[in-house]
Coordinates of all heavy atoms in Angstrom, one line a residue:
M53 N -18.7 7.8 13.7 CA -17.5 8.5 13.6 C -17.8 10.0 13.4 O -18.5 10.3 12.4 CB -16.7 7.9 12.5 CG -15.3 8.4 12.3 SD -14.3 7.8 11.0 CE -13.7 6.3 11.8
K54 N -17.2 10.8 14.1 CA -17.4 12.2 13.9 C -16.6 12.7 12.8 O -15.5 12.2 12.4 CB -17.0 13.0 15.2 CG -17.7 12.6 16.4 CD -17.3 13.5 17.5 CE -16.8 12.6 18.6 NZ -16.1 13.2 19.7
A55 N -17.0 13.9 12.2 CA -16.2 14.4 11.0 C -14.8 14.6 11.3 O -13.9 14.4 10.5 CB -16.9 15.7 10.6
E56 N -14.5 15.1 12.6 CA -13.0 15.3 12.8 C -12.2 14.1 13.1 O -11.1 14.2 13.0 CB -12.9 16.4 14.1 CG -13.6 15.7 15.4 CD -15.0 16.1 15.6 OE1 -15.6 16.6 14.7 OE2 -15.5 15.8 16.8
D57 N -13.0 13.0 13.2 CA -12.3 11.7 13.4 C -12.0 10.9 12.1 O -11.3 10.0 12.0 CB -13.1 10.7 14.3 CG -13.3 11.2 15.6 OD1 -12.4 11.9 16.2 OD2 -14.2 10.8 16.3
K58 N -12.5 11.5 11.0 CA -12.5 11.0 9.6 C -10.9 11.2 9.1 O -10.5 12.3 9.4 CB -13.4 11.4 8.7 CG -14.8 10.9 9.0 CD -15.8 11.3 7.9 CE -17.3 10.8 8.2 NZ -18.2 11.3 7.3
P59 N -10.4 10.2 8.4 CA -9.1 10.5 7.8 C -9.2 11.6 6.7 O -10.3 11.8 6.2 CB -8.7 9.2 7.3 CG -9.9 8.4 7.1 CD -10.9 9.0 8.2
P60 N -8.1 12.2 6.5 CA -8.0 13.2 5.3 C -8.5 12.6 4.1 O -8.3 11.4 3.8 CB -6.6 13.7 5.3 CG -6.0 13.3 6.6 CD -6.7 12.1 7.1
K61 N -8.9 13.4 3.0 CA -9.4 12.9 1.7 C -8.1 12.2 1.0 O -7.0 12.5 1.1 CB -9.7 14.1 0.9 CG -10.2 13.7 -0.5 CD -10.7 14.9 -1.3 CE -11.1 14.4 -2.6 NZ -11.6 15.5 -3.4
G62 N -8.5 11.0 0.6 CA -7.6 10.2 0.0 C -6.8 9.1 0.9 O -6.1 8.2 0.4
K63 N -7.2 9.3 2.1 CA -6.6 8.4 3.2 C -7.7 7.4 3.7 O -8.9 7.9 3.7 CB -6.0 9.2 4.4 CG -5.0 10.2 4.1 CD -3.7 9.6 3.5 CE -2.8 10.7 3.3 NZ -1.6 10.3 2.6
H64 N -7.4 6.3 4.1 CA -8.4 5.2 4.4 C -8.0 4.5 5.6 O -6.9 4.1 5.8 CB -8.7 4.3 3.2 CG -9.0 5.0 1.9 ND1 -10.4 5.4 1.6 CD2 -8.3 5.5 0.9 CE1 -10.3 6.0 0.5 NE2 -9.1 6.1 0.1
I65 N -9.1 4.1 6.5 CA -8.8 3.2 7.6 C -9.7 2.0 7.2 O -11.0 2.0 7.0 CB -9.3 3.7 8.8 CG1 -8.5 5.0 9.2 CG2 -9.2 2.8 10.0 CD1 -8.9 5.8 10.4
F66 N -9.0 0.8 7.0 CA -9.7 -0.4 6.6 C -10.0 -1.3 7.8 O -10.6 -2.4 7.6 CB -8.9 -1.2 5.6 CG -8.7 -0.4 4.2 CD1 -7.6 0.2 4.0 CD2 -9.9 -0.2 3.4 CE1 -7.5 1.0 2.8 CE2 -9.8 0.6 2.3 CZ -8.6 1.1 2.0
G67 N -9.5 -1.0 9.0 CA -9.7 -1.9 10.2 C -8.4 -2.6 10.6 O -7.3 -2.1 10.1
T68 N -8.5 -3.6 11.2 CA -7.4 -4.4 11.5 C -7.4 -5.8 11.0 O -8.5 -6.4 10.6 CB -7.3 -4.5 13.1 OG1 -8.4 -5.3 13.6 CG2 -7.2 -3.2 13.9
V69 N -6.3 -6.5 10.9 CA -6.1 -7.9 10.4 C -5.3 -8.6 11.5 O -4.5 -8.0 12.2 CB -5.5 -7.9 9.0 CG1 -6.3 -7.2 8.0 CG2 -4.1 -7.4 9.1
K70 N -5.5 -9.9 11.5 CA -4.8 -10.8 12.4 C -3.7 -11.5 11.7 O -4.0 -12.0 10.6 CB -5.7 -11.7 13.0 CG -5.1 -12.6 14.2 CD -6.1 -13.4 14.8 CE -5.4 -14.2 15.9 NZ -6.5 -15.1 16.7
V71 N -2.5 -11.6 12.3 CA -1.4 -12.3 11.6 C -1.6 -13.8 11.8 O -1.7 -14.1 13.1 CB 0.0 -11.8 12.1 CG1 1.1 -12.6 11.3 CG2 0.1 -10.3 11.6
G72 N -1.6 -14.7 10.9 CA -1.9 -16.2 11.1 C -0.6 -16.8 11.6 O 0.5 -16.1 11.6
T73 N -0.6 -18.1 11.8 CA 0.6 -18.8 12.3 C 1.8 -18.8 11.3 O 2.8 -19.0 11.7 CB 0.1 -20.1 12.7 OG1 -0.4 -20.9 11.6 CG2 -0.7 -20.2 13.9
K74 N 1.3 -18.7 10.0 CA 2.5 -18.6 9.0 C 2.9 -17.3 8.6 O 3.6 -17.0 7.6 CB 1.8 -19.4 7.7 CG 1.6 -20.9 8.0 CD 1.1 -21.5 6.7 CE 0.9 -23.0 6.9 NZ 0.5 -23.7 5.7
G75 N 2.4 -16.2 9.3 CA 2.8 -14.9 9.1 C 2.0 -14.2 8.0 O 2.3 -13.1 7.5
Q76 N 0.8 -14.8 7.6 CA 0.0 -14.3 6.5 C -1.1 -13.4 7.2 O -1.5 -13.5 8.2 CB -0.7 -15.4 5.8 CG 0.3 -16.4 5.1 CD -0.3 -17.7 4.6 OE1 -1.2 -18.2 5.2 NE2 0.1 -18.1 3.5
I77 N -1.5 -12.4 6.3 CA -2.7 -11.6 6.6 C -3.7 -11.7 5.4 O -3.3 -12.0 4.4 CB -2.3 -10.2 7.0 CG1 -1.6 -9.4 5.7 CG2 -1.4 -10.0 8.1 CD1 -1.5 -8.0 5.8
V78 N -4.8 -11.3 5.7 CA -5.9 -11.0 4.6 C -6.1 -9.6 4.5 O -6.3 -8.8 5.4 CB -7.2 -11.8 5.0 CG1 -8.2 -11.4 3.9 CG2 -7.0 -13.3 5.1
I79 N -5.8 -9.1 3.2 CA -6.1 -7.7 3.0 C -7.6 -7.5 2.9 O -8.3 -8.2 2.1 CB -5.4 -7.4 1.6 CG1 -3.8 -7.5 1.7 CG2 -5.7 -5.8 1.3 CD1 -3.2 -7.4 0.4
P80 N -8.1 -6.6 3.6 CA -9.6 -6.4 3.6 C -10.1 -6.1 2.2 O -9.5 -5.5 1.3 CB -9.7 -5.1 4.5 CG -8.5 -5.1 5.4 CD -7.4 -5.7 4.5
K81 N -11.4 -6.6 2.0 CA -12.0 -6.5 0.6 C -12.1 -5.1 0.2 O -11.8 -4.8 -1.0 CB -13.3 -7.2 0.6 CG -14.0 -7.1 -0.7 CD -15.3 -7.9 -0.8 CE -16.1 -7.9 -2.2 NZ -15.5 -7.1 -3.2
Q82 N -12.4 -4.1 1.0 CA -12.4 -2.7 0.7 C -11.1 -2.2 0.1 O -11.0 -1.5 -0.9 CB -12.9 -1.9 1.8 CG -14.3 -2.0 2.2 CD -14.6 -1.1 3.4 OE1 -14.1 -1.3 4.4 NE2 -15.5 -0.1 3.1
A83 N -10.0 -2.7 0.7 CA -8.7 -2.2 0.2 C -8.4 -2.9 -1.1 O -7.8 -2.3 -2.0 CB -7.7 -2.6 1.2
R84 N -8.7 -4.2 -1.1 CA -8.4 -4.9 -2.5 C -9.2 -4.2 -3.6 O -8.7 -4.1 -4.7 CB -8.8 -6.4 -2.3 CG -7.9 -7.2 -1.4 CD -8.1 -8.6 -1.5 NE -9.4 -9.1 -1.5 CZ -10.2 -9.6 -0.6 NH1 -9.8 -9.5 0.7 NH2 -11.5 -10.0 -0.7
D85 N -10.4 -3.9 -3.4 CA -11.3 -3.3 -4.4 C -10.7 -2.0 -4.8 O -10.6 -1.6 -6.0 CB -12.7 -3.2 -4.0 CG -13.4 -4.5 -3.9 OD1 -12.9 -5.5 -4.4 OD2 -14.6 -4.6 -3.2
L86 N -10.4 -1.1 -3.8 CA -10.0 0.3 -4.0 C -8.6 0.4 -4.8 O -8.5 1.1 -5.7 CB -9.9 1.0 -2.7 CG -9.3 2.4 -2.8 CD1 -10.4 3.3 -3.5 CD2 -9.0 3.1 -1.4
F87 N -7.7 -0.6 -4.5 CA -6.4 -0.6 -5.1 C -6.3 -1.7 -6.1 O -5.2 -1.9 -6.6 CB -5.4 -0.8 -4.0 CG -5.3 0.4 -3.1 CD1 -5.8 0.3 -1.8 CD2 -4.9 1.5 -3.4 CE1 -5.9 1.4 -0.9 CE2 -4.8 2.7 -2.6 CZ -5.3 2.6 -1.2
D88 N -7.4 -2.3 -6.5 CA -7.6 -3.3 -7.6 C -6.5 -4.4 -7.4 O -5.7 -4.8 -8.3 CB -7.3 -2.6 -9.0 CG -7.6 -3.5 -10.2 OD1 -8.6 -4.3 -10.1 OD2 -6.9 -3.3 -11.3
I89 N -6.5 -4.9 -6.2 CA -5.6 -6.2 -6.0 C -6.3 -7.3 -6.2 O -7.4 -7.7 -5.6 CB -5.1 -6.0 -4.5 CG1 -4.3 -4.7 -4.2 CG2 -4.3 -7.2 -4.1 CD1 -3.9 -4.5 -2.9
K90 N -5.8 -8.2 -7.1 CA -6.4 -9.4 -7.5 C -5.5 -10.6 -7.1 O -4.3 -10.5 -6.9 CB -6.6 -9.4 -9.0 CG -7.3 -8.3 -9.6 CD -8.9 -8.4 -9.5 CE -9.6 -7.3 -10.2 NZ -10.3 -6.5 -9.4
P91 N -6.2 -11.8 -7.0 CA -5.4 -13.0 -6.8 C -4.3 -13.2 -7.8 O -4.5 -12.9 -8.9 CB -6.3 -14.2 -7.0 CG -7.7 -13.4 -6.5 CD -7.6 -12.1 -7.2
G92 N -3.0 -13.4 -7.3 CA -1.9 -13.6 -8.2 C -1.1 -12.4 -8.4 O 0.1 -12.3 -9.0
D93 N -1.7 -11.2 -8.0 CA -0.9 -10.0 -8.1 C 0.4 -10.0 -7.3 O 0.5 -10.6 -6.2 CB -1.7 -8.7 -7.6 CG -2.7 -8.3 -8.7 OD1 -2.7 -8.8 -9.8 OD2 -3.6 -7.4 -8.3
Q94 N 1.5 -9.3 -7.7 CA 2.8 -9.2 -6.9 C 2.7 -7.9 -6.2 O 2.3 -6.8 -6.7 CB 3.9 -9.2 -7.9 CG 4.2 -10.5 -8.7 CD 4.9 -11.5 -7.9 OE1 4.9 -11.4 -6.6 NE2 5.4 -12.5 -8.4
L95 N 3.0 -8.0 -4.9 CA 3.0 -6.9 -4.0 C 4.4 -6.6 -3.5 O 5.1 -7.5 -3.1 CB 2.0 -7.0 -2.8 CG 0.5 -7.3 -3.3 CD1 -0.2 -7.6 -2.0 CD2 0.0 -6.2 -4.0
A96 N 4.8 -5.4 -3.3 CA 6.1 -5.0 -2.7 C 5.8 -4.6 -1.3 O 4.8 -3.8 -1.1 CB 6.7 -3.9 -3.5
I97 N 6.6 -5.2 -0.4 CA 6.5 -4.7 1.0 C 7.6 -3.9 1.4 O 8.7 -4.4 1.3 CB 6.4 -6.0 2.0 CG1 5.5 -7.1 1.4 CG2 6.2 -5.7 3.4 CD1 3.9 -6.7 1.4
L98 N 7.3 -2.7 1.8 CA 8.4 -1.8 2.2 C 8.2 -1.5 3.7 O 7.2 -1.6 4.3 CB 8.2 -0.4 1.4 CG 8.1 -0.5 -0.1 CD1 7.8 0.9 -0.7 CD2 9.3 -1.1 -0.7
G99 N 9.4 -1.2 4.3 CA 9.3 -1.1 5.8 C 10.3 0.2 6.2 O 11.3 0.4 5.5
D100 N 9.8 0.9 7.1 CA 10.5 1.9 7.9 C 10.4 1.6 9.4 O 9.3 1.5 9.8 CB 9.9 3.2 7.5 CG 10.6 4.5 8.1 OD1 10.6 4.6 9.3 OD2 11.3 5.2 7.4
E101 N 11.6 1.5 10.0 CA 11.6 1.2 11.4 C 10.8 2.2 12.2 O 10.3 1.7 13.3 CB 13.0 1.0 11.9 CG 13.7 -0.3 11.3 CD 15.1 -0.4 11.9 OE1 15.4 0.3 12.8 OE2 15.8 -1.3 11.2
K102 N 10.7 3.3 11.8 CA 9.9 4.3 12.7 C 8.5 4.5 12.3 O 7.6 4.7 13.1 CB 10.6 5.8 12.6 CG 11.9 5.8 13.2 CD 12.5 7.2 13.1 CE 14.0 7.2 13.8 NZ 14.5 8.5 13.7
Q103 N 8.2 4.3 11.0 CA 6.8 4.6 10.5 C 6.0 3.2 10.2 O 4.8 3.2 10.2 CB 6.8 5.4 9.2 CG 7.3 6.8 9.5 CD 7.3 7.7 8.2 OE1 6.5 7.4 7.3 NE2 8.0 8.7 8.1
G104 N 6.7 2.2 10.0 CA 6.0 0.9 9.7 C 6.1 0.3 8.5 O 7.0 0.5 7.7
I105 N 5.0 -0.5 8.0 CA 5.0 -1.2 6.8 C 4.1 -0.6 5.7 O 3.0 -0.1 6.1 CB 4.6 -2.6 7.1 CG1 5.6 -3.4 7.9 CG2 4.5 -3.4 5.7 CD1 5.1 -4.7 8.5
A106 N 4.5 -0.6 4.5 CA 3.6 -0.2 3.4 C 3.6 -1.3 2.4 O 4.5 -2.1 2.1 CB 4.3 1.1 2.8
I107 N 2.5 -1.4 1.7 CA 2.3 -2.5 0.7 C 1.8 -1.8 -0.6 O 1.0 -0.9 -0.6 CB 1.2 -3.4 1.1 CG1 1.5 -4.1 2.4 CG2 0.9 -4.4 0.0 CD1 0.3 -5.0 3.0
L108 N 2.6 -2.0 -1.6 CA 2.4 -1.4 -3.0 C 2.2 -2.5 -4.0 O 2.9 -3.6 -3.9 CB 3.5 -0.6 -3.4 CG 3.9 0.5 -2.6 CD1 5.3 1.2 -3.2 CD2 2.8 1.7 -2.6
K109 N 1.4 -2.3 -5.1 CA 1.3 -3.2 -6.2 C 2.7 -3.1 -6.8 O 3.3 -2.1 -6.9 CB 0.3 -2.9 -7.1 CG -1.1 -3.3 -6.5 CD -2.2 -3.0 -7.5 CE -2.3 -4.2 -8.6 NZ -3.4 -4.2 -9.4
E110 N 3.2 -4.2 -7.3 CA 4.5 -4.3 -7.9 C 4.8 -3.3 -9.0 O 5.8 -2.6 -9.0 CB 4.8 -5.7 -8.4 CG 6.3 -6.0 -8.7 CD 6.6 -5.7 -10.1 OE1 5.7 -5.7 -11.0 OE2 7.8 -5.5 -10.5
E111 N 3.8 -3.1 -9.9 CA 4.0 -2.1 -10.9 C 4.0 -0.7 -10.5 O 4.8 0.1 -10.9 CB 2.9 -2.3 -12.0 CG 1.5 -2.1 -11.5 CD 0.8 -3.3 -11.2 OE1 1.4 -4.5 -11.0 OE2 -0.5 -3.4 -11.1
K112 N 3.4 -0.4 -9.4 CA 3.5 1.0 -8.8 C 4.9 1.2 -8.1 O 5.4 2.2 -8.3 CB 2.4 1.2 -7.7 CG 1.0 1.1 -8.2 CD 0.5 2.5 -8.3 CE -1.0 2.4 -8.6 NZ -1.4 3.7 -9.3
F113 N 5.3 0.1 -7.6 CA 6.7 0.1 -7.0 C 7.8 0.4 -8.0 O 8.7 1.2 -7.9 CB 6.9 -1.2 -6.2 CG 8.3 -1.2 -5.5 CD1 8.7 -0.4 -4.5 CD2 9.2 -2.2 -6.0 CE1 10.0 -0.5 -4.0 CE2 10.5 -2.2 -5.4 CZ 10.8 -1.3 -4.4
Q114 N 7.6 -0.4 -9.2 CA 8.6 -0.2 -10.3 C 8.5 1.3 -10.7 O 9.6 1.9 -11.1 CB 8.2 -1.1 -11.4 CG 8.5 -2.6 -11.2 CD 10.0 -2.8 -10.8 OE1 10.8 -2.2 -11.3 NE2 10.3 -3.8 -9.9
K115 N 7.4 1.9 -10.9 CA 7.2 3.2 -11.3 C 7.9 4.3 -10.4 O 8.6 5.1 -10.7 CB 5.8 3.7 -11.5 CG 5.2 3.0 -12.8 CD 3.7 3.5 -12.9 CE 3.0 2.9 -14.0 NZ 1.5 3.2 -14.1
L116 N 7.8 4.0 -9.0 CA 8.4 4.8 -8.1 C 9.9 4.6 -8.2 O 10.6 5.7 -8.1 CB 7.9 4.3 -6.6 CG 8.5 4.9 -5.5 CD1 8.2 6.5 -5.4 CD2 8.1 4.3 -4.2
I117 N 10.4 3.4 -8.3 CA 11.9 3.3 -8.4 C 12.4 4.2 -9.6 O 13.4 4.8 -9.6 CB 12.2 1.8 -8.6 CG1 11.9 1.1 -7.2 CG2 13.7 1.6 -8.9 CD1 12.6 1.6 -6.0
Q118 N 11.7 4.0 -10.8 CA 12.1 4.7 -12.0 C 12.1 6.3 -11.8 O 13.1 6.9 -12.2 CB 11.2 4.4 -13.2 CG 11.4 3.0 -13.6 CD 12.7 2.5 -14.1 OE1 13.4 3.3 -14.7 NE2 13.2 1.4 -13.7
E119 N 11.1 6.8 -11.0 CA 11.0 8.1 -10.8 C 12.2 8.6 -9.9 O 12.8 9.5 -10.1 CB 9.7 8.6 -10.1 CG 8.6 8.5 -10.9 CD 7.3 8.8 -10.2 OE1 7.3 9.4 -9.2 OE2 6.3 8.3 -10.8
I120 N 12.6 7.8 -8.9 CA 13.6 8.0 -8.0 C 15.0 8.0 -8.8 O 15.9 9.0 -8.8 CB 13.8 7.0 -6.9 CG1 12.6 7.2 -5.9 CG2 15.2 7.1 -6.2 CD1 12.4 6.1 -4.9
I121 N 15.1 7.1 -9.7 CA 16.4 7.0 -10.5 C 16.5 8.3 -11.5 O 17.5 8.8 -11.5 CB 16.4 5.7 -11.4 CG1 16.6 4.5 -10.5 CG2 17.5 5.7 -12.5 CD1 16.4 3.1 -11.1
K122 N 15.4 8.6 -12.1 CA 15.5 9.8 -12.9 C 15.8 11.1 -12.1 O 16.6 11.9 -12.5 CB 14.1 10.1 -13.6 CG 13.8 9.1 -14.7 CD 12.4 9.5 -15.2 CE 12.1 8.5 -16.4 NZ 10.7 8.7 -16.9
K123 N 15.3 11.3 -10.9 CA 15.6 12.4 -10.1 C 17.1 12.4 -9.6 O 17.7 13.4 -9.5 CB 14.7 12.4 -8.9 CG 13.2 12.9 -9.3 CD 12.4 13.1 -8.0 CE 11.0 13.5 -8.5 NZ 10.1 13.6 -7.4
T124 N 17.6 11.2 -9.3 CA 19.0 11.1 -8.9 C 20.0 11.3 -10.0 O 21.1 11.6 -9.7 CB 19.3 9.7 -8.1 OG1 19.0 8.7 -9.0 CG2 18.5 9.7 -6.8
Q125 N 19.5 11.0 -11.2 CA 20.3 11.3 -12.5 C 20.1 12.7 -13.0 O 20.8 13.0 -14.0 CB 20.1 10.2 -13.4 CG 20.5 8.8 -13.0 CD 20.1 7.8 -14.0 OE1 19.5 7.8 -14.8 NE2 20.7 6.5 -13.7
G126 N 19.3 13.5 -12.4 CA 19.2 14.9 -12.8 C 18.3 15.1 -14.0 O 18.5 16.1 -14.7
E127 N 17.5 14.1 -14.3 CA 16.6 14.1 -15.6 C 15.4 14.9 -15.3 O 14.9 14.9 -14.3 CB 16.3 12.8 -16.2 CG 17.5 12.0 -16.7 CD 17.2 10.6 -17.2 OE1 16.1 10.4 -17.4 OE2 18.2 9.9 -17.4

């Protein structure tokens, strides 16, 4: 991979995954390690029809929601 092909700092490409017959995917080990995803963790799945799907650890999602609430309430 050439330097110009590398993602920007803080961005990562983990490869591709295959969706199984039950709609399940395996999160690549590099991604699980980087984002500290362990068996039993709750994940939030967010979607945008134009941009796609995002996966967040549930506690990060809760913090994001709290920040949004504070901003909308003018705090």
Side-chain angles (χ1 to χ4, degrees):
M53 181 180 284
K54 296 183 240 171
E56 62 268 11
D57 294 336
K58 290 184 180 179
K61 185 176 181 176
K63 307 294 183 184
H64 304 274
I65 298 173
F66 297 108
T68 62
V69 297
K70 185 175 183 178
V71 178
T73 57
K74 294 182 180 181
Q76 298 169 323
I77 63 167
V78 174
I79 300 170
K81 182 174 180 356
Q82 286 180 296
R84 294 191 317 264
D85 290 347
L86 181 66
F87 295 104
D88 193 34
I89 297 171
K90 306 279 189 244
D93 284 351
Q94 293 280 19
L95 303 175
I97 309 297
L98 308 176
D100 180 290
E101 291 183 11
K102 291 182 182 177
Q103 295 185 21
I105 296 172
I107 301 173
L108 301 171
K109 286 187 77 170
E110 191 269 340
E111 58 264 21
K112 296 257 186 201
F113 178 66
Q114 291 296 332
K115 286 180 184 178
L116 176 65
I117 294 299
Q118 292 303 318
E119 288 177 22
I120 292 170
I121 291 170
K122 284 180 183 178
K123 286 183 181 180
T124 59
Q125 294 177 345
E127 294 181 15

